[in-house]
C-alpha cells in the first residue's frame, strides 16, 4: 500500500546522467535518508537491455537493503521484472488503466502532471500520487515542459483535494519551506542530490529544511 510519507524526499537517478558510476551515489543517498527512489534511465549514458536489467537489480537490492521504496520510470516490464514497489508514468507514456491491468495489484502508480486538467485526470484514473512540475527550469530533463512556478503548483493543489503530491523540476534546498507552506507531500530531485559532492549533506539539508 502506498504511503504519502514516502514522497518527502524522492530521489530520481540512473546511470544515464553521467559517466561516473551511479551506484555509489545512489547508495550514499539511501544511506543518508532519502525516502523513495526512482530509477529513471533517460540521458546521454543510458543503459539498455541486459546492462539495464543488471544495473536495475543492483539498485533494487540496495533500496530493499535500506528499506526505501523503489520505483521504475515508464518501463512497466522492467518494473515487473525488478519487483519494483511502484511505477511512475508520464503524460506521453502508457495510460494508468492499461498499466493497472498489467501490474501486480500491490504495485503503486505515480503520474506526472503539469496542469489542472492532467492532475484531475490522474486523480480520476486512480493514480496513487502525482508528480507536479516542472516548477522551475530544469536542465536534467530534455523534453521538460514550460515551468509552472509555485503559482501553477498552488492551482493544482487547490483542485485535487487530498491527493498525494510531490513537486519536481529545478527545485533546491531553499525552496523547501515554500513547498511546505503549499502543503505538498515532498520534493523530487535529480541534480540537487545526484550531482552534489557531499550527498549526505544535501540529503540531510533537504530533510531538515
Ligand atoms: N520530471 P532536477 S522535471 C524527471 O516536470 C523530471 O515532470 C520533470 O531534475 C517533470 O531536479 C524532471 O535536476 C527533472 O531539476 C528533475
Amino acid at each position: 500500500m502506498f504511503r504519502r510519507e514516502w514522497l518527502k524526499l524522492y530521489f530520481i537517478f540512473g546511470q544515464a546522467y553521467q559517466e561516473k558510476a551511479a551506484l555509489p551515489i545512489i547508495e550514499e543517498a539511501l544511506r543518508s535518508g532519502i525516502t523513495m527512489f526512482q530509477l529513471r534511465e533517460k540521458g546521454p549514458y543510458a543503459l539498455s537491455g541486459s546492462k539495464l536489467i543488471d544495473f536495475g537489480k543492483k539498485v533494487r537490492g540496495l533500496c530493499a537493503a535500506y528499506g526505501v521504496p523503489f520505483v521504475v520510470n515508464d518501463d512497466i516490464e522492467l518494473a515487473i521484472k525488478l519487483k519494483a514497489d511502484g511505477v511512475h508514468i508520464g503524460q506521453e507514456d502508457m495510460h494508468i488503466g492499461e498499466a493497472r491491468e498489467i501490474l501486480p495489484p500491490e504495485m503503486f502508480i505515480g503520474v506526472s502532471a503539469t496542469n489542472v486538467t492532467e492532475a484531475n485526470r490522474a486523480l480520476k484514473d486512480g493514480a496513487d500520487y502525482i508528480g507536479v512540475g516542472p516548477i522551475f527550469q530544469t536542465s536534467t530533463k530534455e523534453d521538460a515542459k514550460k515551468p509552472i512556478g509555485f503559482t501553477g503548483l498552488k492551482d493544482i493543489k487547490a483542485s485535487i483535494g487530498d491527493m498525494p503530491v510531490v513537486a519536481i523540476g529545478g527545485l533546491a534546498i531553499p525552496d523547501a519551506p515554500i513547498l511546505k507552506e503549499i502543503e505538498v507531500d515532498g520534493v523530487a530531485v535529480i541534480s540537487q542530490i545526484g550531482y552534489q559532492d557531499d550527498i549526505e549533506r544535501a540529503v540531510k539539508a533537504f530533510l531538515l529544511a
Side-chain angles (χ1 to χ4, degrees), residues 132-145:
V132 173
I135 307 302
F136 299 124
Q137 194 138 17
T138 174
S139 47
T140 324
K141 186 180 181 186
E142 269 182 15
D143 56 350
K145 301 193 176 131

Side-chain angles (χ1 to χ4, degrees), residues 17 26 29-30 47 51 60 63 94-95 113 126 147 158 163 184 203:
Y17 300 94
I26 295 168
L30 289 164
L47 301 172
K51 283 194 175 147
R60 206 286 158 264
C63 287
M94 188 182 265
H95 185 265
M163 169 105 175
V184 295
V203 169

Side-chain angles (χ1 to χ4, degrees), residues 12 40 112 133-134 138 140-141 168-171 188-191:
I12 302 171
R40 182 177 186 273
S112 303
T138 174
T140 324
K141 186 180 181 186
I168 185 164
L171 293 167
V189 296
I190 297 179
S191 45

Side-chain angles (χ1 to χ4, degrees), residues 143-187:
D143 56 350
K145 301 193 176 131
K146 200 167 152 253
I148 60 169
F150 291 131
T151 313
L153 176 62
K154 278 183 197 163
D155 289 347
I156 292 176
K157 266 291 290 175
S159 79
I160 51 156
D162 199 31
M163 169 105 175
V165 170
V166 66
I168 185 164
L171 293 167
I173 294 155
D175 301 314
I178 304 162
L179 292 172
K180 229 179 233 174
E181 244 175 68
I182 302 174
E183 294 184 339
V184 295
D185 295 275
V187 54

Side-chain angles (χ1 to χ4, degrees), residues 47-112:
L47 301 172
S48 59
S50 61
K51 283 194 175 147
L52 174 56
I53 293 168
D54 289 347
F55 177 72
K57 280 182 182 162
K58 287 181 191 151
V59 179
R60 206 286 158 264
L62 279 178
C63 287
Y66 285 92
V68 171
F70 172 73
V71 178
V72 170
N73 182 280
D74 278 3
D75 191 335
I76 303 272
E77 267 182 48
L78 184 65
I80 294 171
K81 198 168 275 174
L82 297 177
K83 298 192 172 62
D85 298 295
V87 291
H88 185 92
I89 49 188
Q91 288 293 324
E92 288 80 25
D93 308 320
M94 188 182 265
H95 185 265
I96 296 184
E98 280 176 77
R100 279 265 184 249
E101 277 181 29
I102 305 168
L103 290 172
E106 67 277 11
M107 221 186 261
F108 63 82
I109 302 180
V111 175
S112 303

